[in-house]
Amino acid sequence: MKSVFQSSLLPLVSLCLTPLSACIAEAANAPEPRELDQINIVSNPLEETHKTRNTEITGPQMLRQLQPNSVAAAVKHHPNVTTSGGSRANNQTVNIRGLEANRILQTVDGVRQTFESGHRPSFLLDPSLLREVEVVKGPSSSIWGSGALGGVVAQRTLNAWDLLESQETVGGFIKTGFNTNNDESNTVLTLAGQTSQFDWLFGSYYRDSNDLEMGNGMELDHSGSQDIGVLAKGHWYIDTDQTLRFSYRAANDDGAVPSNGAANPGRSNPLIDRKQKTHNVLIGYNIDSESPWVNADVSTYWNRINMNEARISDGRLDRTELDVFGFNINNLSQLDTLQLRYGIDGYQEQFSATRSGGNRPNPPDGDTTVWGSFVQGTLALTPQWKLELGGRYDHFKTQADTIGSRSDSAFSPSAALIWQASDELAFTLRHDRAFRSPSSEELYTTGTHYCIPPAGCETFKPNPDLASEKSANTELNIALNLDNMSHGGQLGIRASLFENRVDNFIEQVSTSRFSYFPSFAFIPGNATYINVDEAKLSGFEIAADYRYQQFLATASYGMTRGKDQKTGDDLTNIPADTLKADLSYAFNNGWRAGVRLTHALANKRTWDGSDGQGRVYDGYTLTDLYASWNSPSIDGLSLDITLNNISNRYYRVAWSELYEPGREVIASLRYDF
């Protein structure tokens, strides 16, 4: 049976695609398509709005050097960006300036990804088929809506034009790799083709790993997994103005992990056998007309996530399913000195969970429906000054079966003043507001959280009165680019100063109590989600890159502070101050070699009021080496070697219970054809 959202979505998308039918009918008489090397297509034109924000990109060369096993590992080398969720790759998420999990919005090929359920993983894309990852720092709800309190992680998969030159019709690559730390093997195969009107790509990967070894020589139990996935994409260039695109992704991830993958297994964190399946479909239409009024993009998508978890001790089975149906319509109008991007979008999350046996939490079956409209304008005041203003209105409704419903709305404005002081120097002062609506799980979860026999169990208490989290960020960005230095070198320096005030933080609190003297005792209570008082996150980051001929050097430093404005307590999950550097040199024989340094200071700002003393997370220094080789004699053959944590340091990231991998050597052999 179709939902109300699906019933209203399909006619709307059909209406928006009506002009396409006439174009298809006239395809035989259409003008000669443009050459493929002249086409510049992004996953979603909305991502072009990131250009005036503070962004970091991990591109193809950096992905090759890092050889990451998670999206979080692909971006953790940027200032004020780190991993969260522990060292199990499939459980890792991204922390941006102290905000993480569902306070960071993630997209894949321009489509928002929404999955939050208990301690289950939320970043579900394997990096094997990525071409780049962009991190947008700071609130971004004026474009993307709910969830972008701390920023956006935009993941973009490979396209045919990433693998083929303009004159090539068929090609691809095969890649195989091995990690000595956890005996991980990774194989990737892609095929791509193109004609004057079509291109297509098919990719697949297989990853199999055992438990990783930490710097103390011990293994992190149940950190291995087996992952397999496919990607299929295609574009039909109807004529010089119009493009139809399609993509399909599917992945299966299997492994035995603790119920909370960010912690060690124990009585309250049982071991489970998790089987995770994802399916993602995207259909889009883009028209880039000669008219300055019409440069539109229409897309519709479906995301499905299915997790089956069997507790190993007794076989008790939990099933969690999420279907998301959505659409996005946006248009760009260029009017002399004014550029306007505007649009509407919407999505519906259909969540269901079945749980066998007793003593388990019961997230309700329910739907969340969101509709939004936005506009962003950039006005050139003078050749040196630009003003950017934007805003987005969202209406959202959450309904839980047999429990109740809740609806609300939010408006998220943004403003930026850009001063291009010279060809080399630019300043941007911006203010952005964002929100995150509470999920059905946060509003309505009931049942048991955990049990400690024979004392009893802590149970969940619903809170349907939760307010949306809100953030207001003010930021100054400075960019200096010296591309033509007297000696031939190039220097770039970027600095940011920010203050992000977040109100109505949603946190899980517990009334259960523990006593350890004179003997251990557990007094069970309730767990519930509440709004806490206003918090302030502030800090800065500075990054520099220098290139001279075949030498490249980058360095960055990031610092974030977080305080509860009412109590003065330190906020949790604030990353340690970290200095990062990367030096590399490209030799004339096909080799490029480099060294990466990471120095994290001790994090002592951990007084969160939860106990009588703050915790201290020790500082650490890591050294990584890497080398890449392109064969001068066999066209298309390349080798990548990465040696991480060469000193075998036993360390953990601040706020993490689990320790990170020790020394690891990753080697990959790739052949492009």
Side-chain angles (χ1 to χ4, degrees):
M1 180 176 175
K2 294 183 179 179
S3 67
V4 174
F5 182 85
Q6 290 171 269
S7 301
S8 58
L9 167 62
L10 294 177
L12 180 57
V13 173
S14 300
L15 176 63
C16 297
L17 292 177
T18 298
L20 178 61
S21 60
C23 301
I24 296 174
E26 298 176 5
N29 300 319
E32 187 67 23
R34 69 182 77 177
E35 291 297 321
L36 289 178
D37 58 356
Q38 295 176 331
I39 296 175
N40 182 20
I41 298 175
V42 296
S43 302
N44 185 332
L46 285 183
E47 295 180 348
E48 294 180 351
T49 62
H50 298 171
K51 293 178 180 178
T52 60
R53 299 175 182 267
N54 189 334
T55 63
E56 308 277 1
I57 293 181
T58 301
Q61 181 175 327
M62 183 60 69
L63 287 171
R64 179 177 173 181
Q65 294 169 1
L66 293 170
Q67 303 194 72
N69 58 1
S70 71
V71 171
V75 299
K76 67 179 183 179
H77 60 283
H78 296 306
N80 275 333
V81 179
T82 187
T83 60
S84 179
S87 47
R88 294 183 175 94
N90 286 354
N91 198 71
Q92 289 181 337
T93 63
V94 178
N95 181 305
I96 303 175
R97 295 175 173 175
L99 295 176
E100 60 187 38
N102 51 13
R103 298 181 178 106
I104 301 296
L105 176 68
Q106 57 166 315
T107 65
V108 177
D109 290 336
V111 174
R112 63 183 296 131
Q113 309 294 303
T114 54
F115 181 74
E116 285 290 334
S117 179
H119 299 294
R120 295 173 180 84
S122 57
F123 275 74
L124 306 178
L125 180 65
D126 189 280
S128 297
L129 296 173
L130 282 175
R131 66 180 171 94
E132 67 179 20
V133 185
E134 181 181 27
V135 175
V136 183
K137 300 177 182 178
S140 303
S141 285
S142 62
I143 292 295
W144 292 105
S146 175
L149 287 179
V152 178
V153 179
Q155 305 152 78
R156 298 171 189 136
T157 58
L158 289 170
N159 290 294
W161 60 79
D162 297 312
L163 307 180
L164 301 173
E165 299 292 340
S166 59
Q167 70 279 6
E168 295 178 325
T169 57
V170 178
F173 72 85
I174 183 170
K175 175 183 175 182
T176 183
F178 187 78
N179 186 325
T180 60
N181 182 288
N182 59 354
D183 298 329
E184 177 183 285
S185 60
N186 182 27
T187 301
V188 183
L189 173 65
T190 66
L191 294 172
Q194 63 184 7
T195 67
S196 61
Q197 282 194 290
F198 300 95
D199 70 40
W200 56 270
L201 178 142
F202 175 81
S204 62
Y205 66 86
Y206 176 77
R207 189 189 298 270
D208 191 4
S209 63
N210 296 323
D211 292 344
L212 62 86
E213 182 180 297
M214 298 172 290
N216 63 351
M218 302 293 290
E219 291 185 349
L220 179 61
D221 292 338
H222 312 294
S223 54
S225 65
Q226 187 178 79
D227 312 319
I228 186 171
V230 297
L231 167 69
K233 300 179 75 172
H235 294 84
W236 174 21
Y237 306 106
I238 302 168
D239 56 29
T240 55
D241 297 334
Q242 300 178 96
T243 304
L244 186 67
R245 66 186 184 276
F246 167 83
S247 71
Y248 171 74
R249 290 183 290 111
N252 291 349
D253 302 330
D254 297 341
V257 296
S259 177
N260 178 2
N264 288 306
R267 285 194 300 173
S268 61
N269 190 25
L271 194 64
I272 60 174
D273 182 15
R274 175 179 291 148
K275 298 185 183 299
Q276 171 185 303
K277 297 181 179 181
T278 60
H279 298 273
N280 308 85
V281 177
L282 166 68
I283 300 175
Y285 167 72
N286 181 274
I287 178 168
D288 184 7
S289 70
E290 295 182 359
S291 168
W293 289 90
V294 181
N295 296 276
D297 189 86
V298 180
S299 62
T300 182
Y301 60 89
W302 167 59
N303 298 333
R304 162 166 281 189
I305 301 167
N306 179 287
M307 289 191 184
N308 291 334
E309 300 165 327
R311 196 165 68 175
I312 291 178
S313 62
D314 58 9
R316 188 173 64 189
L317 182 64
D318 299 326
R319 290 190 174 94
T320 305
E321 292 185 356
L322 175 68
D323 285 287
V324 182
F325 302 90
F327 76 97
N328 184 291
I329 305 171
N330 65 88
N331 184 61
L332 175 66
S333 297
Q334 309 243 17
L335 311 173
D336 295 327
T337 59
L338 177 63
Q339 182 184 86
L340 280 177
R341 186 174 293 281
Y342 46 92
I344 60 173
D345 57 40
Y347 61 92
Q348 183 180 70
E349 301 174 1
Q350 299 176 356
F351 182 85
S352 65
T354 59
R355 305 190 182 266
S356 60
N359 296 336
R360 293 292 294 171
N362 297 309
D365 292 353
D367 297 342
T368 298
T369 304
V370 180
W371 298 89
S373 60
F374 63 91
V375 61
Q376 177 176 292
T378 303
L379 176 65
L381 302 174
T382 72
Q384 291 78 35
W385 291 87
K386 290 183 180 180
L387 178 64
E388 178 185 289
L389 296 174
R392 178 185 171 100
Y393 174 81
D394 284 275
H395 181 270
F396 46 93
K397 181 179 181 180
T398 299
Q399 182 170 350
D401 294 352
T402 73
I403 297 180
S405 64
R406 152 81 183 279
S407 62
D408 205 346
S409 61
F411 179 71
S412 306
S414 69
L417 185 62
I418 305 165
W419 177 33
Q420 189 71 44
S422 66
D423 291 339
E424 297 82 16
L425 182 62
F427 298 84
T428 301
L429 177 64
R430 64 178 308 118
H431 181 80
D432 299 277
R433 301 205 171 193
F435 80 101
R436 184 183 75 84
S437 58
S439 67
S440 60
E441 184 174 71
E442 293 168 326
L443 291 166
Y444 301 118
T445 294
T446 60
T448 301
H449 188 196
Y450 63 88
C451 297
I452 299 182
C457 302
E458 179 179 272
T459 57
F460 276 103
K461 182 179 179 181
N463 183 4
D465 298 322
L466 277 177
S468 295
E469 294 180 327
K470 297 180 180 180
S471 67
N473 184 70
T474 302
E475 183 165 344
L476 174 64
N477 298 322
I478 305 172
L480 174 66
N481 293 290
L482 303 175
D483 294 332
N484 297 298
M485 302 178 73
S486 59
H487 63 286
Q490 298 173 310
L491 175 65
I493 300 176
R494 295 176 295 118
S496 299
L497 184 68
F498 63 90
E499 180 182 272
N500 192 7
R501 293 182 177 268
V502 184
D503 198 8
N504 294 332
F505 250 109
I506 297 175
E507 289 191 352
Q508 186 186 111
V509 296
S510 171
T511 60
S512 298
R513 294 293 178 262
F514 294 87
S515 175
Y516 298 94
F517 299 101
S519 61
F520 175 80
F522 171 57
I523 305 173
N526 297 117
T528 189
Y529 293 92
I530 65 170
N531 294 112
V532 299
D533 290 302
E534 180 178 297
K536 182 175 77 171
L537 299 101
S538 58
F540 73 90
E541 58 225 11
I542 184 169
D545 59 87
Y546 173 75
R547 182 187 300 273
Y548 177 69
Q549 295 180 354
Q550 295 162 288
F551 174 73
L552 176 63
T554 63
S556 67
Y557 183 81
M559 184 193 81
T560 301
R561 299 287 182 265
K563 286 285 186 182
D564 185 309
Q565 290 293 86
K566 183 177 180 180
T567 65
D569 291 340
D570 296 313
L571 297 181
T572 59
N573 301 319
I574 303 301
D577 301 353
T578 307
L579 173 67
K580 304 172 184 179
D582 192 320
L583 307 174
S584 65
Y585 186 83
F587 299 89
N588 294 326
N589 58 359
W591 283 94
R592 172 178 284 276
V595 56
R596 278 189 305 271
L597 301 172
T598 302
H599 178 64
L601 303 182
N603 192 344
K604 302 178 182 179
R605 298 174 180 84
T606 56
W607 180 273
D608 61 3
S610 62
D611 51 27
Q613 60 182 6
R615 289 155 286 182
V616 175
Y617 296 94
D618 295 334
Y620 54 87
T621 300
L622 303 176
T623 303
D624 306 330
L625 301 176
Y626 61 88
S628 299
W629 174 70
N630 294 310
S631 173
S633 57
I634 303 178
D635 188 33
L637 183 65
S638 61
L639 173 69
D640 297 294
I641 302 174
T642 304
L643 175 56
N644 291 328
N645 192 6
I646 63 174
S647 62
N648 203 31
R649 183 66 185 263
Y650 182 58
Y651 75 102
R652 59 176 173 170
V653 177
W655 300 101
S656 175
E657 176 182 330
L658 304 179
Y659 283 78
E660 296 297 308
R663 183 186 300 112
E664 59 181 1
V665 180
I666 309 172
S668 297
L669 188 66
R670 170 169 165 162
Y671 179 67
D672 289 78
F673 54 88

